[in-house]
């Protein structure tokens, strides 16, 4: 088997490779050639969360699982709180093929999903990017969004305003003017990315202008919420996977309130394959509920193993 440790990922994986790998697996999911297994997520106590995201991609000949979670005591030990590892198996034999550091890959595959949604669903002439959230993932989200649209400024809001300057530095690196704003001013945005761990919504329907595309990326478990449920009723809703969207994604709240039904939600993969229409008018609000699926992790891990092997960097070990 091959090991690609966390320290190697930054030198191997690019946002472009992540975009391509995630787009291909979303299409395979829509075609029924790839599917995710039910997510396992358990509370370990003291705020620790541990779980598995897994799936099979027949098209890409990949089978695997991402194991990991959130360990809030890590920061005090000099480690990041989110820790994960991806294991890849031979889909024909079940033999373990690779163990891959999953921390940076998680950020890259999550940002790729959001960027794919912006690429496919936002208005071509979108100019103002709104960011709600300013934590670890937000900087990856900002960079990825800036790759797919020609934004001329970034406006941002965060529950903890002291975190915003770091996001502003990334905007400056990208040459984009950056302004911290109130939630009410999010109506100026053409694209809004939400990436928080909020337990209650911040962004209300009234904060969103017609024609906006939203990538709601923070809600990946029961009880998190970023946007007002009425916004989902007003929008056309897309997702990575409907089963996750209605149970652990942003749509869990609008579904629970009876505002939308599972049948109202379109897999983004169906837009990629052409089976479903994307944006239909300049005025409609499109909302991507990005819940994060195991197949995204498997797709980027398989790509990184391919790159590491091609460069002679993958560490071969006998199990
Ligand atoms: P982080 O801890 O670095 O940042 C947390 C963010 O949430 C900050 O912006 C913080 O200000 C905000 N926040 C915290 N409490 C809040 C509250 N009560 N109200 C409003 N905002 C609040 O976390 P991160 O690594 O940037 O992850 C952000 C979210 O994205 C988490 O919920 C994480 O689980 C989720 N996530 C989703 C995917 C996916 O595929 N969809 C992948 C990775 C992470």
């Amino acid at each position: 088997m091959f090991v690609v440790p966390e320290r190697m990922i930054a030198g191997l994986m690019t946002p472009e490779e992540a975009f391509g790998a995630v787009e291909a697996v979303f299409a395979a999911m829509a075609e029924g050639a790839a599917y995710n297994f039910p997510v396992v997520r358990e509370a370990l106590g003291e705020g620790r969360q541990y779980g598995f995201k897994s799936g099979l991609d027949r098209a890409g000949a990949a089978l695997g699982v991402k194991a990991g979670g959130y360990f809030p005591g890590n920061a005090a030990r000099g480690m990041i709180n989110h820790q994960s590892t991806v294991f890849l198996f031979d889909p024909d034999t079940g033999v373990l093929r690779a163990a891959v550091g999953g921390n940076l890959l998680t950020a890259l595959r999550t940002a790729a999903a959001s960027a794919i949604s912006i690429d496919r669903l936002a208005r071509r002439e979108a100019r103002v990017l709104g960011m709600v959230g300013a934590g670890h993932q937000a900087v990856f989200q900002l960079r990825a969004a800036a790759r797919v649209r020609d934004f001329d400024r970034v406006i941002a809001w965060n529950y903890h305003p002291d975190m915003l300057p770091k996001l502003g530095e990334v905007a400056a690196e990208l040459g984009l003017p950056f302004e911290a704003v109130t939630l009410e001013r999010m109506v100026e945005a053409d694209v809004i990315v939400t990436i928080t761990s909020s337990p209650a919504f911040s962004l209300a329907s009234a904060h969103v202008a017609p024609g906006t595309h939203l990538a709601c990326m923070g809600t990946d478990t029961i009880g998190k919420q970023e946007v007002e449920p009425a916004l989902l009723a007003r929008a056309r809703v897309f997702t990575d996977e409907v089963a996750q969207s209605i149970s652990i994604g942003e749509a869990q709240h609008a579904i629970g309130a009876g505002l939308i039904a599972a049948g109202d939600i379109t897999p983004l993969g169906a837009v990629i394959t052409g089976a479903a229409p994307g944006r239909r008018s300049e005025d409609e609000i499109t909302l991507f509920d990005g819940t994060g699926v195991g197949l995204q992790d498997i797709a980027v891990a398989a790509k990184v193993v391919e790159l590491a092997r091609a460069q002679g960097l993958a560490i071969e070990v006998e199990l």
Side-chain angles (χ1 to χ4, degrees):
M1 65 170 285
F2 293 99
V3 175
V4 185
E6 187 67 44
R7 66 179 156 78
M8 278 188 194
I9 307 294
L12 288 166
M13 196 64 180
T14 63
E16 289 79 4
E17 294 280 16
F19 188 100
V22 173
E23 194 166 55
V25 85
F26 280 175
M29 282 163 57
E31 284 164 343
Y35 62 101
N36 294 286
F37 307 147
V39 174
V40 174
R41 205 171 166 92
E42 293 291 327
L44 304 183
E46 292 94 34
R48 291 168 300 159
Q49 293 275 339
Y50 182 64
F52 310 104
K53 284 188 169 178
S54 55
L56 169 66
D57 178 3
R58 287 202 182 85
L63 171 70
V65 58
K66 179 168 84 169
Y70 184 71
F71 300 84
N74 282 6
R77 299 182 180 122
M79 291 182 279
I80 64 167
N81 291 345
H82 284 99
Q83 288 291 331
S84 63
T85 310
V86 185
F87 298 93
L88 300 175
F89 301 88
D90 184 317
D92 294 322
T93 63
V95 171
L96 182 61
R97 279 289 158 84
V100 183
N103 298 346
L104 178 58
L105 285 183
T106 297
L108 290 171
R109 64 76 146 147
T110 306
S114 162
I116 292 164
S117 84
I118 297 168
D119 188 39
R120 296 281 174 171
L121 298 170
R123 296 191 327 273
R124 283 282 140 207
E125 74 288 1
R127 290 289 174 263
V128 181
L129 173 62
M131 295 290 306
V132 175
H136 180 72
Q137 303 292 332
V139 295
F140 292 91
Q141 293 285 326
L142 173 52
R143 286 185 201 283
R147 285 186 53 245
V148 292
R149 281 295 180 277
D150 194 10
F151 293 112
D152 58 22
R153 65 189 173 103
V154 179
I155 57 176
W157 178 89
N158 195 43
Y159 185 73
H160 302 104
D162 52 306
M163 295 170 79
L164 284 168
K166 200 174 136 218
L167 197 59
E169 283 169 25
V170 175
E173 268 175 44
L174 297 167
L176 291 169
F178 179 88
E179 188 184 2
V181 297
T182 60
L183 281 166
E184 287 71 22
R185 282 197 50 202
M186 280 292 152
V187 289
E188 295 171 27
D190 302 306
V191 172
I192 300 175
V193 176
T194 64
I195 182 74
T196 69
S197 53
S198 178
F201 77 81
S202 310
L203 193 73
S205 184
H207 301 148
V208 178
T212 303
H213 172 67
L214 296 106
C216 297
M217 305 304 296
T219 298
D220 56 358
T221 194
I222 291 171
K224 288 185 190 172
Q225 186 180 28
E226 300 196 288
V227 304
E228 186 179 14
L231 179 60
L232 279 86
R234 200 178 145 210
R236 277 182 68 221
V237 181
F238 299 82
T239 189
D240 40 23
E241 193 185 270
V242 176
Q244 287 192 194
S245 172
I246 63 174
S247 56
I248 60 172
E250 193 61 39
Q252 65 181 284
H253 307 287
I255 291 275
L259 294 174
I260 63 167
D264 298 327
I265 305 175
T266 304
L268 184 57
V271 179
I272 295 167
T273 62
R279 170 170 292 279
R280 292 182 305 203
S281 76
E282 292 293 289
D283 278 353
E284 80 180 353
I285 294 173
T286 52
L287 185 151
F288 174 63
D289 183 6
T291 65
V293 294
L295 283 169
Q296 278 171 269
D297 299 301
I298 293 164
V300 289
K303 176 51 78 177
V304 104
V305 172
E306 183 191 315
L307 295 167
R309 289 186 66 183
Q311 296 177 33
L313 294 172
I315 301 163
E316 195 164 4
V317 293
E318 224 165 295
L319 200 62

